[in-house]
Amino acid sequence: MPHQFLVPTPAGPGLAPRYRERPAVLPRNPYLRLFALPGTRAFTAGNLIARLPSGMFGISAVIMISAAYGSYALAGAVTGTGLVAGALTAPLVARLVDRHGQRRVAVPAAAIAALGHVLLLLCVRGDAPAWALFCAVLPTAAAPNTGGMSRARWAHLLRDDPASLHTANSFEQAADELCFMLGPVLAAVVCSALFPEAGTLVAAVLLSAGVLLFTAQRSTEPPVAPRTPAGSPLRAPGMVPLLAVFAATGAVFGAMEVTALAFVDGPVAGPVLALQAAGSCAAGLLYGRARRTAGLGTCLAAMTVVMAAPLLAARTDWLPALAAGLLVAGMATAPTMVTGMALVQRLVPSDRLNEGMTLAVTALLAGIATGSATAGWTADHAPDPALGFVLPVAAAALALVLCAATGVGRRVPA
């Protein structure tokens, strides 16, 4: 029987969670080795259920509000308000998770967020005035960063196994891409097959159920680390430059999405754009099997090069060529994000890990919003729609320059 050890907690020394010993013979496949660890399949299943709604809520709200009010502008403004509120609130929720534990914070936070989405649904259903929609969407900002909590579990379980942690981070990035690829499709199907509010309702149920299943897996939950005088993750050396790189990288994604949608401008735009996520998902899984990892600068240099593929394909004005270009461009996404998140895990103190990863996501979302707005303006005013594909290349080059100029990731504390 494995021994239990005392670990420091805010209330004094306590017993560390009891884990069963690893199997004597581990599978050769690195992903099978991950899920041979006790409890990992259970918390991953719950987290995937909780994470899927992140790709559903936006499109569901747009469908629901536009159907009731006949205004895509209102729908976009309401969902944009929710995103801004979430970007401001997410680091605070993550700080509470670090301070009090995943179960104690994530469950009530998810309940508040789900109730906010239901309240928005009721306002739309009751034909409430527009200002009520903006008020109703604010509680949805309490949603916890489920992907960050899952990465924190892997970081705790595999803290002495860097190779397996790299595989776990790659799996998590592939899961992100899969959820953002399938979420909008599921939302559109549910809203079309049932009623316009169905997507929001289903997503709220999935979020609540997924978080409950995820947090019920107590054996893999990281113990609350004792507070250190390190302060905010922003004080960690190299963290602010890394967040700037994340913001520029987010601009790549936002600009590419809007430019591709505007260029295709038809019902096949969604499936064509999904190829970028598919390429990223596949590259993430392959990257997780690699024995050696690339540096952040190398990943950004590769991203700058492959982002030119959609630009060159768009010049042909042939849709299959653009689809192939997006597939190729997506293959640089996951390795870059995996490497960046791994740097966050190494830069940030263990008692601020959730907050640090959430700050990275917030910077990424800020970049996505900036890239989307810039690409939208370009799509309306550029003489040639293909010129919009210059923006992702420029944003990737900016991220590379920032990385090289600041030396972020060059010397990371072990």
Side-chain angles (χ1 to χ4, degrees), residues 5-398:
F5 300 96
L6 290 176
V7 296
T9 71
L15 290 176
R18 184 186 297 275
Y19 299 101
R20 297 191 298 273
E21 291 182 345
R22 297 188 183 190
V25 179
L26 291 174
R28 295 184 61 183
N29 186 295
Y31 292 103
L32 294 180
R33 284 202 299 271
L34 286 181
F35 296 108
L37 297 176
T40 54
R41 283 174 289 184
F43 89 70
T44 298
N47 191 269
L48 289 176
I49 294 173
R51 206 185 309 189
L52 182 61
S54 60
M56 296 180 63
F57 280 126
I59 188 79
S60 296
V62 169
I63 293 173
M64 177 176 68
I65 296 172
S66 62
Y69 291 81
S71 172
Y72 281 100
L74 176 62
V78 171
T79 54
T81 300
L83 287 174
V84 171
L88 296 174
T89 306
L92 301 178
V93 175
R95 182 179 300 175
L96 292 175
V97 170
D98 285 327
R99 186 170 298 175
H100 301 290
Q102 294 184 354
R103 180 180 60 88
R104 293 181 61 186
V105 175
V107 172
I112 293 171
L115 288 174
H117 287 289
V118 173
L119 179 61
L120 178 63
L121 183 155
L122 294 175
C123 287
V124 173
R125 193 78 172 177
D127 198 24
W131 62 264
L133 305 185
F134 289 96
C135 294
V137 80
L138 294 179
T140 66
N145 180 6
T146 51
M149 291 191 296
S150 185
R151 287 177 171 90
R153 293 201 179 206
W154 288 118
H156 172 66
L157 294 173
L158 304 172
R159 57 192 178 277
D160 297 323
D161 190 350
S164 294
L165 182 57
H166 165 69
T167 302
N169 284 332
S170 298
F171 170 80
E172 290 297 326
Q173 186 60 39
D176 279 342
E177 300 293 345
L178 186 64
C179 289
F180 279 106
M181 184 169 56
L182 296 181
V185 176
L186 177 59
V189 169
V190 170
C191 291
S192 301
L194 300 177
F195 47 91
E197 298 87 358
T200 296
L201 187 60
V202 169
V205 171
L206 289 175
L207 174 63
S208 303
V211 168
L212 285 174
L213 289 172
F214 173 73
T215 55
Q217 313 308 315
R218 300 296 305 280
S219 65
T220 54
E221 181 177 354
V224 178
R227 304 297 294 172
T228 65
S232 169
L234 295 175
R235 297 182 181 179
M239 188 62 181
V240 172
L242 181 58
L243 293 181
V245 172
F246 267 105
T249 305
V252 176
F253 307 148
M256 183 65 77
E257 179 177 353
V258 172
T259 299
L261 289 173
F263 186 84
V264 177
D265 192 22
V268 297
V272 168
L273 191 59
L275 287 173
Q276 183 180 359
S280 179
C281 182
L285 294 175
L286 291 174
Y287 191 57
R289 295 177 65 100
R291 296 185 179 180
R292 296 184 62 183
T293 58
L296 183 59
T298 302
C299 291
L300 290 171
M303 174 178 280
T304 304
V305 173
V306 299
M307 283 298 157
L311 173 62
L312 297 175
R315 304 304 300 177
T316 68
D317 203 22
W318 189 42
L319 189 58
L322 177 61
L326 289 171
L327 180 67
V328 171
M331 291 180 180
T333 301
T336 303
M337 295 306 303
V338 169
T339 305
M341 283 297 183
L343 282 175
V344 173
Q345 291 173 358
R346 297 182 64 185
L347 287 171
V348 175
S350 60
D351 64 319
R352 302 277 187 171
L353 186 55
N354 283 286
E355 185 180 355
M357 288 190 290
T358 302
L359 284 171
V361 173
T362 300
L364 195 70
L365 291 175
I368 290 174
T370 303
S372 298
T374 305
W377 185 92
T378 303
D380 286 340
H381 297 87
D384 183 355
L387 290 177
F389 288 106
V390 174
L391 296 175
V393 181
L398 174 61

